[in-house]
Amino acid sequence: MRALVKDGNGEGLTMRDVPVPEIGPEDVLIRVRRTGICGTDLHIWNWDDWARRTVPTPLVVGHEFAGEIAALGAAVPGLSVGQRVSGEGHVIGRSSRAARGGRFHFDPETRGVGVNIPGAFAEYLRLPAFNVVPLPDEIDLELGAILDPLGNAVHAALSFDLVGEDVLITGAGPIGIMAAAVARHVGARHVVLTDVNPARLALAGRLVRQLTTVDVGRQRLDQVARALGMREGFDVGLEMSGAGAAFDQMLDQLLMGSKLAMLGIPAGAVPVDWARVVFKGLTIKGIYGREMFETWHKMLAMLQSGLEVRGVITHRLPAARFAEGFAAMRSGEAVKVVLDWT
Ligand code: ZN
C-alpha cells in the first residue's frame, strides 16, 4: 500500500510502498479515505528536537483520519465491514490506575497513532476496535477526518460551563476557531478570538456567527472588551496559541475567580506572573487529547445539531500532492489541509 513514511534522515516525508498492516483479534483494519494534516505532523516533517526524541523511524505518520472498515479481528463485536468510521488516535494501555479507573485519557502508557506507532497517512490503518468511532450518516468522511482536532476544541470548550459567559480564546488556529464555534453553539454570550494573523481572524469571522475577532498586533483587547460592555473582564479563557504574550493577555483579561483551559503548547519554558493567578483565584486546567469517549459523543451530537466547522478546511488535495499541503501549512496560509487517499 501507499503510505507517507518518516525515514528519520532530516526534513520531509516520503511516499512509498509498505506492507498492509496485519491485524490482531481485537483490531480493525481501516481503508483510509481522508486524512487531516496536524501541527504535530509538521513537527515530524521538520524533524525538530521533539520529533527526533519521540518518533521511532521508519514510521508511517498521521493521526487524523476517516475511512471504512476493511477487515475485523476475530474477537471484535459490534462493528461491520464497510462501516464508515473515524477513531481515537491515542492507544491506551490497560494496567495503569487511570486506565483501570476508566479515566482513559489520563493513561500514562498512551501511544500515539502516527507518532509512536504506525499511523493513518496510508491506504490502510490498523486500530484497536476499542478506539474505533462509527460515523453517523450525516457526518461525511471529510468531517470525519478532522474529528481529532475538533475533539481537542470540544474537550477544552466543554471543560467549563459557557452558558451566558463571556469567553476569551487566544490563538486562531484550527482548534481555536473550532473552539469559538463550539462556545457559540453551546450558548456563550460574547466570544472573542485573538491572533496576530489577519487572514485567520477573517476566516474565523466568516465561519462563526457573532464572533468578535481581535488582531492583537493592531488592536487593544481591553478596549474591544469594554466596547462590548464587559466592564470587568472575561469569565472563561481558552488558551490555544502556546504564545507567552497571549497567556499574559489572558491573565490580564480574566475576571477574579474565572476559569482557564490551556491547550496551546509553548515551545519551551515560559515565564508566568503567578502572583496574578493567585490573587485572581484562577482555576487552570491542562487539556490534552480528548476524553474517551465522552468528547466524541458530544462532538458528534453537536455536529448533528448544527455545529458548523467545515470552514476550517482551506485546502483539499489528493494524497499524492501531500508536499503542497505541508507547504501550505508551513507558510501559515492553510488552516486545515485534508488529503484524499481514494
Ligand atoms: Zn492532530
Side-chain angles (χ1 to χ4, degrees):
M1 66 173 187
R2 281 184 314 150
L4 262 182
V5 181
K6 186 73 195 184
D7 280 313
N9 37 17
E11 268 192 22
L13 295 168
T14 312
M15 184 76 83
R16 59 180 167 87
D17 275 321
V18 301
V20 173
E22 282 175 30
I23 59 170
E26 297 184 346
D27 295 331
V28 165
L29 186 69
I30 296 168
R31 172 68 174 96
V32 176
R33 298 294 182 187
R34 299 286 189 282
T35 59
I37 301 178
C38 180
T40 303
D41 304 317
L42 218 53
H43 287 286
I44 297 173
W45 174 289
N46 293 337
W47 209 226
D48 60 16
D49 287 343
W50 169 84
R52 276 197 297 263
R53 270 186 278 115
T54 310
V55 179
T57 54
L59 186 78
V60 176
V61 300
H63 59 270
E64 302 178 0
F65 67 92
E68 292 127 20
I69 294 179
L72 296 168
V76 176
L79 296 170
S80 54
V81 170
Q83 199 170 8
R84 295 172 336 106
V85 297
S86 182
E88 172 57 55
H90 287 174
V91 175
I92 61 166
R94 293 183 181 182
S95 55
S96 73
R97 178 181 172 188
R100 302 285 287 174
R103 299 183 305 280
F104 301 131
H105 66 298
F106 289 138
D107 176 37
E109 293 170 12
T110 298
R111 294 168 302 152
V113 167
V115 176
N116 314 110
I117 57 176
F121 289 169
E123 287 174 301
Y124 292 93
L125 168 70
R126 172 184 55 208
L127 196 69
F130 178 77
N131 286 54
V132 170
V133 177
L135 294 176
D137 290 344
E138 313 83 314
I139 296 173
D140 59 31
L141 292 172
E142 181 175 273
L143 273 184
I146 61 166
L147 293 178
D148 172 292
L150 174 58
N152 291 139
V154 167
H155 185 184
L158 299 191
S159 284
F160 304 112
D161 182 8
L162 299 188
V163 178
E165 304 288 7
D166 295 333
V167 180
L168 174 61
I169 304 171
T170 47
I175 296 174
I177 296 173
M178 291 192 283
V182 172
R184 174 54 66 227
H185 186 78
V186 301
R189 181 172 66 169
H190 297 304
V191 182
V192 176
L193 176 64
T194 69
D195 205 287
V196 291
N197 180 334
R200 291 191 164 204
L201 291 170
L203 184 142
R206 288 193 298 274
L207 180 65
V208 184
R209 73 191 157 82
Q210 292 177 308
L211 173 69
T212 303
T213 59
V214 183
D215 180 345
V216 285
R218 292 155 213 241
Q219 288 169 281
R220 293 241 335 245
L221 180 56
D222 56 341
Q223 289 175 353
V224 174
R226 217 170 307 132
L228 288 170
M230 275 183 265
R231 295 231 305 274
E232 296 172 69
F234 290 86
D235 305 297
V236 178
L238 307 175
E239 205 307 291
M240 304 294 195
S241 73
F247 187 65
D248 273 344
Q249 286 185 329
M250 189 64 94
L251 293 186
D252 271 342
Q253 298 298 320
L254 286 175
L255 281 170
M256 288 187 71
S258 58
K259 315 231 170 36
L260 172 57
M262 297 204 43
L263 184 141
I265 302 167
V270 172
V272 171
D273 183 359
W274 288 105
R276 283 192 297 178
V277 175
V278 173
F279 288 130
K280 282 194 171 183
L282 300 185
T283 300
I284 301 182
K285 179 183 177 187
I287 305 291
Y288 179 59
R290 297 140 299 278
E291 287 186 12
M292 289 171 236
F293 284 84
E294 187 63 9
T295 302
W296 288 87
H297 175 86
K298 293 274 195 186
M299 77 174 145
L300 293 174
M302 285 191 286
L303 288 169
Q304 289 176 300
S305 61
L307 175 66
E308 184 49 65
V309 297
R310 194 187 302 274
V312 297
I313 302 171
T314 52
H315 293 63
R316 297 167 172 85
L317 292 165
R321 287 166 60 190
F322 67 93
E324 283 171 57
F326 276 87
M329 292 281 291
R330 296 173 90 193
S331 72
E333 170 206 334
V335 177
K336 201 75 205 171
V337 177
V338 170
L339 299 177
D340 184 344
W341 290 82
T342 299

